[in-house]
Amino acid sequence: DYVANPVGPVRRAGGPGGEFPAGGSGPFDAASQYQSDYIPKAGGPAQRTVLPHEAPTGGAFAGESTYVADYPAKEAARAAPLGPGDFKRAATPLQSAPFDAATTYVTDYPPKAADRTVRTVPEPQPLAGGSFVAETTYGTDYLPNEAARTLPAAPRPTEREHLPFDGATTYHVDYPPKQGAPAARSVQPAPERSSTPFDG
């Protein structure tokens, strides 16, 4: 379990008895390092130079913007909203002149007077007589070269040297077999079976 450690009362920092030394009777020097090292420079704020086109004209403000000066308001009467009774057939009779149904396409592109194209049927050509020559362009232009067939040269028999075959590979040279008796195989005895019936 948790055991509380004995701790004494906290004493204030200061002298041996915890008291602070008495303050001096002189005035408090509130001058910081910034105020003592950085003396303020004598000078006023910089005056902004006024450009000629920024100088005031001295006249009265007209209050007109570019939009008001260029686009004056139009004097027009306000249109009255139309009601259901305003949509009536005009009292003036329609003109009795015939309707001219000529469109721009008909006016600009008049039909051309030309004869109708007649489909022509080619005359039958008689077939050429004689036997069919089954020669292609390849067989006519690329004639085979008459040359004797080159037979492969048989290798000359070489005499074999009756020497023993050195079958030592790099593995057999670098890793010789270790000489040692084979390790005996440990056979664990079979566990004895309990004769107690299984209680499932």
Side-chain angles (χ1 to χ4, degrees):
D1 296 344
Y2 174 77
V3 179
N5 296 324
V7 180
V10 180
R11 300 177 59 185
R12 295 181 59 187
E19 66 279 359
F20 286 93
S25 59
F28 175 70
D29 187 5
S32 62
Q33 184 179 1
Y34 178 84
Q35 295 179 356
S36 59
D37 296 347
Y38 299 94
I39 303 174
K41 302 297 187 293
Q47 298 293 332
R48 182 177 178 273
T49 302
V50 180
L51 300 178
H53 66 277
E54 296 178 350
T57 58
F61 178 66
E64 292 184 358
S65 61
T66 308
Y67 181 84
V68 175
D70 297 343
Y71 300 94
K74 304 298 181 181
E75 298 294 338
R78 186 175 182 180
L82 299 177
D86 298 331
F87 297 94
K88 295 181 180 180
R89 182 169 297 181
T92 57
L94 298 178
Q95 298 180 1
S96 59
F99 175 69
D100 188 5
T103 60
T104 308
Y105 181 83
V106 175
T107 305
D108 297 343
Y109 300 94
K112 304 296 181 181
D115 298 334
R116 186 175 181 181
T117 304
V118 180
R119 180 173 177 267
T120 59
V121 179
E123 298 180 359
Q125 299 292 334
L127 298 178
S131 60
F132 176 70
V133 181
E135 291 184 359
T136 60
T137 308
Y138 179 83
T140 306
D141 298 343
Y142 299 94
L143 301 177
N145 296 327
E146 299 295 337
R149 186 177 181 182
T150 304
L151 299 176
R156 294 182 301 174
T158 57
E159 297 181 358
R160 297 182 179 180
E161 299 180 356
H162 299 283
L163 298 177
F165 175 70
D166 187 7
T169 60
T170 308
Y171 180 83
H172 288 82
V173 175
D174 296 342
Y175 300 94
K178 306 299 181 181
Q179 301 295 332
R185 182 182 179 185
S186 59
V187 180
Q188 297 181 0
E192 298 180 358
R193 296 184 178 181
S194 176
S195 59
T196 305
F198 176 73
D199 187 6

